Amino acid sequence: MLRRRTKPVVAAKPNGPLWIAEDPFRGDRALLVDDDAVAPLSGDNHLSTALVDYLLQRSLQPKNIRQRCSHYKDNKFEFVSPFCIDHHFVVVKIVFDLRSPDIFHEVSVYDSLIKGGRRNNSVHRNSPPAKYLRSFQQFIANFCSFGNPKCEVLLANPDLIMEKAVYRSCPLQQNGFDCGLFAFGCVLHLLKGLDVSADIFNQTKTQREKQQASFGLIMSYLHHFQLRNEDSTVRAESDADQRLRRLGICPGFMKHSLRHVRPVLSLDGAHLTSRWKGTLYIASVHTACNDIYPVSFAIMKDGEDTEGWKWFLELLVQAVPLLKMQHPDNRCKFCYFTFISDRQKGLIQALQQVFPDNHHCFCSVHIARNVEKEVGKQVAKHVYALSATFSKRESDELMAKINAISVRGRKYLEDITANQWRSTAWVDDPTLPPRFGIVTTNMSESAHEMFGEAERTTQPFHPGLAL
């Protein structure tokens, strides 16, 4: 298949198809390259026949095929060759024996753009592989069957080889740049008697390995993220086995913009449903134009609990000291920023430890959901209005309706501290910081939706795209 040369040289390309691997077609017109010719190969040039020639020559033991052509008629041969037509590599494997009634025992075509194993996987007679196969049959008939009656058979039926030609299952390339390496790997597998569809060679199989390997890029990505985003805060934590357990990011441009947003920070966590699981923590605010503004986020291996929330809140304190700024209104007994959450128990405890001087409100939608579980929808449908209204008269009317439906429901709502969810409490107590009509954590839910595709899928981490 390969011919040893004492001094590889760059030769002119032959006219027509570019035959590869020094198969018998090419003879003295072989495309050979020396070491110096490999360096300039870049970009799409790695699809060139020269590079595959170079790889094959350096990776396989050259075989001397300078034998009399009549030798072909005495044995059963296995011919393996990659070839390139229309800038795409295809590999063929041909098993033939000129002594056998069926000259061609196997004619397999491996094309990384065509899925083998289909109901009709025969090679089309007008396809580039078909042209190559006919040329091979012609070569056998003209040069390898002297004195053999099979020569007349081969010449009389130029399409004889096509009767056995089929596409075989092989790894499908994932982009437009892999066919050269595919051909190289395919030839190596065939020459060593390995299954071309073996796991070690299958691109689609290695998806999980790619995802696992992507975790090794995270620390490098975080480093470059800090370099490209000045004054950003990045924090990561690994376990005893050096496996990533937590990471949090607060971009610098976000923390400096918090002076110009509504000072109500929504906190929420969501369970990741991809293969790797974990929990996503997000802190969001509303701008003056009511746009959603994610301030910081963290991903943790464990579920949503007090320890995780405390870790995330400490990241916020480190990144944004502004969150503990005193309120400019001296009447207010709390800090400038207010937090709103879904009443998750671990978060409530963590806020008391990390932000004891900031006011903490509850989301009326989550309260309504809890009420629905307790006493039903008829009471739950009044909860949002009860939370949003500043009118004491309307508030009393709503509470009376709730009481008429369920006394237990009224008691459940009254047990929740009023200044953490009912707007009428702000009328009674001027020391409470304003919450600008924000009575739900919908901004966090919307922020989660922004990350929704990443939460659900298992695509490998790609720092180039992320940057």
Side-chain angles (χ1 to χ4, degrees):
M1 181 172 178
L2 295 174
R3 179 165 47 200
R4 187 185 303 274
R5 298 222 177 188
T6 56
K7 184 178 180 182
V9 295
V10 179
K13 296 183 179 180
N15 296 326
L18 303 179
W19 310 119
I20 310 305
E22 288 203 281
D23 58 58
F25 286 103
R26 297 195 333 183
D28 293 334
R29 298 186 303 168
L31 274 173
L32 300 176
V33 297
D34 56 20
D35 295 341
D36 295 334
V38 176
L41 293 176
S42 61
D44 290 345
N45 289 332
H46 71 278
L47 296 179
S48 68
T49 60
L51 178 59
V52 174
D53 263 353
Y54 179 85
L55 293 174
L56 289 171
Q57 291 177 66
R58 296 307 188 275
S59 301
L60 305 177
Q61 289 296 326
K63 297 179 180 179
N64 187 357
I65 63 171
R66 289 182 176 179
Q67 302 172 6
R68 288 181 302 173
C69 295
S70 59
H71 181 72
Y72 280 93
K73 69 180 182 181
D74 298 330
N75 294 285
K76 180 180 180 180
F77 283 89
E78 180 178 296
F79 176 84
V80 177
S81 174
F83 65 96
C84 181
I85 295 181
D86 297 331
H87 307 288
H88 176 65
F89 279 103
V90 179
V91 176
V92 296
K93 176 184 176 182
I94 304 172
V95 179
F96 66 97
D97 188 349
L98 295 178
R99 303 169 302 173
S100 172
D102 294 328
I103 299 175
F104 298 105
H105 295 187
E106 176 187 346
V107 182
S108 300
V109 179
Y110 300 89
D111 189 336
S112 60
L113 293 180
I114 297 179
K115 184 177 181 181
R118 303 170 299 176
R119 178 176 299 180
N120 182 16
N121 60 350
S122 60
V123 179
H124 194 276
R125 295 183 181 273
N126 294 325
S127 65
K131 297 177 182 178
Y132 182 88
L133 294 174
R134 289 194 191 95
S135 298
F136 179 82
Q137 178 177 323
Q138 185 180 9
F139 171 82
I140 294 294
N142 291 330
F143 300 104
C144 304
S145 57
F146 303 121
N148 193 312
K150 292 297 191 311
C151 174
E152 299 298 330
V153 176
L154 295 173
L155 293 175
N157 185 4
D159 288 334
L160 180 64
I161 194 171
M162 298 303 302
E163 296 177 2
K164 292 290 185 72
V166 294
Y167 286 108
R168 298 295 183 184
S169 297
C170 64
L172 300 181
Q173 65 187 69
Q174 303 301 301
N175 52 57
F177 309 104
D178 287 346
C179 68
L181 295 178
F182 159 83
F184 176 60
C186 188
V187 169
L188 290 180
H189 275 65
L190 290 174
L191 292 181
K192 292 180 178 294
L194 301 176
D195 183 5
V196 174
S197 60
D199 288 344
I200 192 172
F201 183 50
N202 196 328
Q203 288 182 341
T204 57
K205 185 279 315 181
T206 60
Q207 185 65 22
R208 180 179 177 87
E209 294 180 356
K210 291 179 181 178
Q211 295 166 2
Q212 292 175 330
S214 70
F215 282 93
L217 302 175
I218 291 180
M219 298 309 296
S220 176
Y221 166 75
L222 294 178
H223 173 69
H224 286 283
F225 182 88
Q226 286 183 294
L227 293 179
R228 298 195 180 194
N229 298 272
E230 294 183 0
D231 201 27
S232 296
T233 300
V234 174
R235 186 179 178 188
E237 182 179 294
S238 302
D239 59 18
D241 296 326
Q242 295 303 310
R243 292 177 298 186
L244 189 63
R245 186 178 176 215
R246 297 168 175 160
L247 70 85
I249 296 177
C250 183
F253 64 89
M254 289 185 174
K255 64 172 76 172
H256 295 306
S257 302
L258 285 182
R259 296 180 181 274
H260 312 289
V261 302
R262 298 180 184 181
V264 179
L265 198 70
S266 177
L267 301 172
D268 193 28
H271 297 287
L272 303 178
T273 58
S274 67
R275 182 196 303 272
W276 311 108
K277 306 302 180 184
T279 306
L280 174 66
Y281 295 76
I282 292 183
S284 308
V285 294
H286 270 309
T287 67
C289 298
N290 226 30
D291 296 321
I292 299 173
Y293 196 88
V295 177
S296 180
F297 70 91
I299 299 175
M300 304 188 196
K301 176 183 177 182
D302 303 322
E304 190 177 0
D305 54 18
T306 303
E307 183 182 358
W309 274 116
K310 184 178 179 181
W311 191 90
F312 180 56
L313 295 178
E314 289 174 346
L315 170 69
L316 283 175
V317 172
Q318 175 187 354
V320 193
L322 182 69
L323 295 176
K324 288 196 171 186
M325 182 183 73
Q326 293 299 314
H327 203 284
D329 188 345
N330 294 328
R331 295 179 302 169
C332 185
K333 61 182 178 181
F334 295 98
C335 292
Y336 182 58
F337 272 85
T338 297
F339 293 95
I340 185 168
S341 74
D342 59 0
R343 298 177 69 206
Q344 205 272 339
K345 293 181 180 180
L347 175 55
I348 293 176
Q349 298 176 12
L351 278 171
Q352 292 173 350
Q353 298 176 32
V354 182
F355 291 97
D357 298 324
N358 294 72
H359 190 49
H360 183 200
C361 300
F362 297 145
C363 171
S364 61
V365 173
H366 286 83
I367 294 177
R369 291 174 183 171
N370 293 334
V371 169
E372 181 178 344
K373 293 178 183 178
E374 292 287 334
V375 296
K377 293 183 178 180
Q378 293 301 314
V379 175
K381 68 180 182 181
H382 297 296
V383 171
Y384 179 83
L386 185 64
S387 173
T389 182
F390 285 89
S391 170
K392 288 187 177 182
R393 181 171 64 86
E394 183 180 359
S395 177
D396 292 340
E397 291 175 355
L398 289 170
M399 192 60 79
K401 291 180 181 180
I402 292 173
N403 186 67
I405 299 171
S406 171
V407 176
R408 187 161 66 93
R410 175 188 60 80
K411 186 175 186 306
Y412 179 88
L413 292 173
E414 289 179 343
D415 288 341
I416 303 174
T417 306
N419 67 7
Q420 291 187 297
W421 74 288
R422 295 179 63 176
S423 296
T424 52
W426 272 256
V427 178
D428 298 330
D429 187 356
T431 65
L432 294 174
R435 58 177 182 173
F436 300 92
I438 299 175
V439 297
T440 71
T441 58
N442 285 351
M443 68 179 94
S444 291
E445 303 296 336
S446 298
H448 278 298
E449 187 61 29
M450 293 166 58
F451 293 100
E453 186 65 20
E455 294 178 12
R456 294 184 293 269
T457 62
T458 59
Q459 293 299 317
F461 181 80
H462 196 313
L465 294 178
L467 288 172

